[in-house]
Amino acid sequence: MRQNFRQTEKQGQAGFTLLETTMALVVMMIAGLGIVAVFSFAIKNNTGARDRASAIAVAQQELERLRNLSYNDAALNTTSTPLTSTVDSGGRSFTLRTTITTDATTSLKTIQVQVTPASGTTTWALGSVTIVSQRAPFSLGAYSGGP
């Protein structure tokens, strides 16, 4: 009687078939590939954001350097072609282009600083960071108020 009980117990057990196991592995593999794709996307975007932040920092440093010069300094003379240089920051090389134009009627100088990665594979590297500032000569205008 004990032997019949064991045979009945074995016959009543249900396990996973080879097809069910294969399908479960395929579903887990698809989910794993999706997670890998998300990580790849996140790494690419984080790298691009870091490079963009470095480019903005380079542009701001150059603009601050130009802001610290007096209005009549030779470095702020109007340029017909942009001044181009290469700057290293954060382990990356950037191309720095500075353009200065002067409005003849208002004596207002427009300073444009454009920073582009020298070589990059990130998506945003197809563009550049541009900061524009204006400088005016210091002068006192007519006083319009008073008693």
Side-chain angles (χ1 to χ4, degrees):
M1 179 133 175
R2 188 83 172 137
Q3 192 173 12
N4 283 342
F5 178 72
R6 285 188 180 174
Q7 283 180 342
T8 309
E9 184 179 306
K10 287 184 181 179
Q11 289 173 355
Q13 289 182 354
F16 292 107
T17 64
L18 187 58
L19 180 63
E20 290 171 332
T21 305
T22 303
M23 291 304 291
L25 287 174
V26 167
V27 168
M28 287 184 351
M29 183 180 70
I30 291 172
L33 289 175
I35 290 171
V36 167
V38 167
F39 276 114
S40 173
F41 181 77
I43 289 169
K44 182 179 176 183
N45 281 336
N46 285 340
T47 302
R50 184 195 69 217
D51 291 345
R52 189 167 187 84
S54 295
I56 290 171
V58 167
Q60 287 175 339
Q61 286 173 353
E62 178 63 13
L63 194 58
E64 285 301 319
R65 185 186 73 78
L66 294 171
R67 282 183 187 162
N68 285 331
L69 299 174
S70 66
Y71 180 83
N72 295 322
D73 194 292
L76 291 178
N77 288 343
T78 300
T79 56
S80 57
T81 59
L83 302 173
T84 305
S85 62
T86 302
V87 177
D88 291 328
S89 177
R92 291 288 311 264
S93 292
F94 296 95
T95 302
L96 178 68
R97 293 174 43 129
T98 305
T99 308
I100 301 171
T101 56
T102 305
D103 186 350
T105 58
T106 61
S107 298
L108 192 63
K109 291 185 180 184
T110 302
I111 304 167
Q112 180 179 357
V113 177
Q114 183 180 29
V115 179
T116 307
S119 63
T121 58
T122 54
T123 306
W124 86 268
L126 299 175
S128 60
V129 172
T130 304
I131 298 179
V132 179
S133 180
Q134 293 183 325
R135 293 276 310 262
F138 180 74
S139 61
L140 296 175
Y143 181 66
S144 61

